C-alpha cells in the first residue's frame, strides 16, 4: 500500500514546493518593481538637481564674461590713452629739439 501512495505524496510535495517558489517569485517581482520605481524617482530628482546646478554654473559664466568684457574695454581705453600720450609727447620733444616750429 505504501508503494502505491508514495508517488502521490511526492507529487503533493513537489506541488507544495512549486507553490512556495511561485510565491517567492511573486514577492521578488513586487520588490523589484518597488526598487525600480524608487530608482526612477531618485534619478528624476538627481536630474532636477543637476539641471539646477548647470543653470547656476551657466549664469556664473555669463556674469564672469560680462565682467571680463568691462575690464577689457577699460584696459583698451587706458592703453590707447597711454599710447597717444606717449606718441604726442615724443613728437613734441622731437619738434622742440630740432626747432621745427
Amino acid at each position: 500500500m505504501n508503494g502505491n501512495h508514495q508517488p502521490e505524496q511526492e507529487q503533493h510535495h513537489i506541488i507544495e514546493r512549486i507553490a512556495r517558489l511561485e510565491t517567492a517569485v511573486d514577492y521578488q517581482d513586487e520588490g523589484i518593481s518597488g526598487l525600480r520605481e524608487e530608482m526612477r524617482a531618485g534619478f528624476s530628482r538627481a536630474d532636477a538637481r543637476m539641471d539646477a546646478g548647470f543653470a547656476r554654473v551657466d549664469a556664473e559664466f555669463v556674469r564672469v564674461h560680462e565682467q571680463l568684457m568691462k575690464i577689457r574695454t577699460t584696459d583698451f581705453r587706458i592703453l590707447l590713452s597711454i599710447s597717444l600720450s606717449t606718441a604726442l609727447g615724443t613728437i613734441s620733444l622731437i619738434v622742440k629739439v630740432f626747432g621745427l616750429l
Side-chain angles (χ1 to χ4, degrees):
M1 246 189 186
N2 280 342
N4 291 337
H5 294 292
Q6 190 156 357
E8 288 179 15
Q9 289 175 353
E10 286 179 17
Q11 287 179 356
H12 184 63
H13 182 65
I14 291 172
I15 290 172
E16 286 177 6
R17 290 178 64 191
I18 290 173
R20 275 190 249 136
L21 286 173
E22 287 176 347
T23 304
V25 168
D26 288 341
Y27 284 128
Q28 293 295 326
D29 285 342
E30 290 174 10
I32 290 172
S33 296
L35 285 174
R36 184 178 296 132
E37 293 302 319
E38 289 176 15
M39 286 177 60
R40 284 183 181 157
F43 283 134
S44 66
R45 284 191 305 267
D47 286 343
R49 282 188 299 229
M50 285 175 40
D51 289 342
F54 284 138
R56 251 191 336 267
V57 169
D58 190 42
E60 184 67 19
F61 279 141
V62 168
R63 187 184 66 78
V64 168
H65 182 263
E66 289 172 355
Q67 287 179 348
L68 287 174
M69 291 300 290
K70 288 178 185 176
I71 291 170
R72 189 175 74 172
T73 302
T74 303
D75 288 348
F76 175 73
R77 290 176 184 166
I78 291 170
L79 287 174
L80 183 64
S81 63
I82 290 171
S83 297
L84 289 175
S85 299
T86 304
L88 289 175
T90 305
I91 291 172
S92 65
L93 184 63
I94 290 173
V95 168
K96 181 154 179 115
V97 167
F98 291 112
L100 298 175
L101 285 177

